[in-house]
Amino acid sequence: MYYDALKTFVTLAEVKNFTKTAELLLMSQPSVSLHIKNLEKEFQTKLFQRSPKYLKITPSGEILYDRAKQMITIYEQTRQEILEQQNTIKGDLKIAASFTIGEYILPSLLLDLQNQYPELNLQVTIANTEEVVQSTRSHHVDIGLIEGQTNERELIVTPFLEDELFIVTSNQHPLVQKEETTIADLQNQQWIMRENGSGTREYFNHVVRSNGLKVKSLLTISSNQGIKETLINGLGISILSGSVVERDVKQNNLSIIKVKNQEFKRTLSYVLSPIMQEKKNVSIFIEALGEKWKHPKGK
């Protein structure tokens, strides 16, 4: 059975490094080399061009890469369907979630699923929206949860929750002391925001463009917690999901700047490849999403 060899080959083609491939697949580097050697012997061709400085896939390797991904997906679906014949929900469910969802919204649902289906092996990867979309499209995960938009035509995109965001800052910021804050007060401010590719950064860019805001300075931090700590220490303002800042506001670590006649809302969605629609564990997860958040309005 060439499943392990094909999975090794696909991983190496994507990360382009033998050591990193071995680490990701929890195997030794000689085992990675042996899998590639066996595949090259099987297909009687070189799959990679190698030198001390680079690793490049060959044209023959490109052909195998596309087929190998399909074969791995079919194998894993077949394995899953055989498990599902036993009338118990078991096996793996691989989920990718953007940072806000993965860190602050998803955990309560995971607890519900684990209690209801103790034999279901949940594997969660947290990344920014762009990375979640790519992982879902390439079938590295079964389903993705994003807070931004995607134009990826190969994926089905379905809303599951409406998320409200808030302008937040330290308790000492001058805008906190104002009785009434307007959009004009947000001109020429220091902002602390997530990185490009993040759904929250995408929403911030939308707010800036639609309101004609001039940004005095922009500090980029690829972590919600890092942003909050920077705000608490007295630097700048940010716009973050209510789920991210709720506890900090209650504990009086951060303050919300309420902007007159303004609400900041977006839709959270799940994304999946059409080939994953019939996978039972994916269906169970989507059903659980629907039960926990009936409609994409409010929490």
Side-chain angles (χ1 to χ4, degrees), residues 147 165-168 190-196 198-208 215 217-224 226-228 230-231 235-241 266:
E147 61 207 57
L165 297 93
F166 297 93
I167 308 291
V168 290
Q190 292 179 300
W191 289 86
I192 321 295
M193 284 307 306
R194 289 283 308 284
E195 76 286 0
N196 286 323
S198 155
T200 301
R201 177 62 172 267
E202 180 186 333
Y203 189 85
F204 164 73
N205 293 340
H206 162 72
V207 170
V208 169
V215 176
S217 65
L218 178 63
L219 172 60
T220 299
I221 301 178
S222 58
S223 159
N224 289 320
I227 291 174
K228 291 193 293 183
T230 305
L231 295 173
L235 179 61
I237 64 176
S238 187
I239 183 166
L240 294 170
S241 167
R266 63 182 175 183

Side-chain angles (χ1 to χ4, degrees), residues 156-287:
I156 298 168
V157 183
T158 307
F160 72 90
L161 181 65
E162 188 176 74
D163 182 39
E164 186 170 8
L165 297 93
F166 297 93
I167 308 291
V168 290
T169 187
S170 71
N171 299 328
Q172 290 75 41
H173 195 281
L175 290 182
V176 175
Q177 317 307 323
K178 291 196 67 170
E179 289 185 13
E180 186 175 80
T181 304
T182 66
I183 281 290
D185 293 317
L186 300 181
Q187 293 285 4
N188 295 305
Q189 292 290 335
Q190 292 179 300
W191 289 86
I192 321 295
M193 284 307 306
R194 289 283 308 284
E195 76 286 0
N196 286 323
S198 155
T200 301
R201 177 62 172 267
E202 180 186 333
Y203 189 85
F204 164 73
N205 293 340
H206 162 72
V207 170
V208 169
R209 286 193 305 266
S210 60
N211 291 285
L213 294 179
K214 182 179 179 181
V215 176
K216 181 179 179 181
S217 65
L218 178 63
L219 172 60
T220 299
I221 301 178
S222 58
S223 159
N224 289 320
Q225 190 60 39
I227 291 174
K228 291 193 293 183
E229 290 297 328
T230 305
L231 295 173
I232 290 170
N233 279 282
L235 179 61
I237 64 176
S238 187
I239 183 166
L240 294 170
S241 167
S243 61
V244 173
V245 301
E246 181 179 11
R247 185 180 302 171
D248 296 275
V249 172
K250 284 182 178 178
Q251 294 175 350
N252 203 32
N253 294 322
L254 291 173
S255 292
I256 291 175
I257 299 172
K258 295 182 179 179
V259 183
K260 184 181 179 182
N261 299 326
Q262 290 288 329
E263 286 187 326
F264 304 103
K265 293 183 177 180
R266 63 182 175 183
T267 300
L268 308 183
S269 304
Y270 65 82
V271 294
L272 75 161
S273 171
I275 199 173
M276 294 296 179
Q277 278 185 295
E278 302 303 319
K279 189 171 181 178
K280 191 168 183 180
N281 286 354
V282 172
S283 299
I284 289 293
F285 181 76
I286 293 173
E287 184 179 329

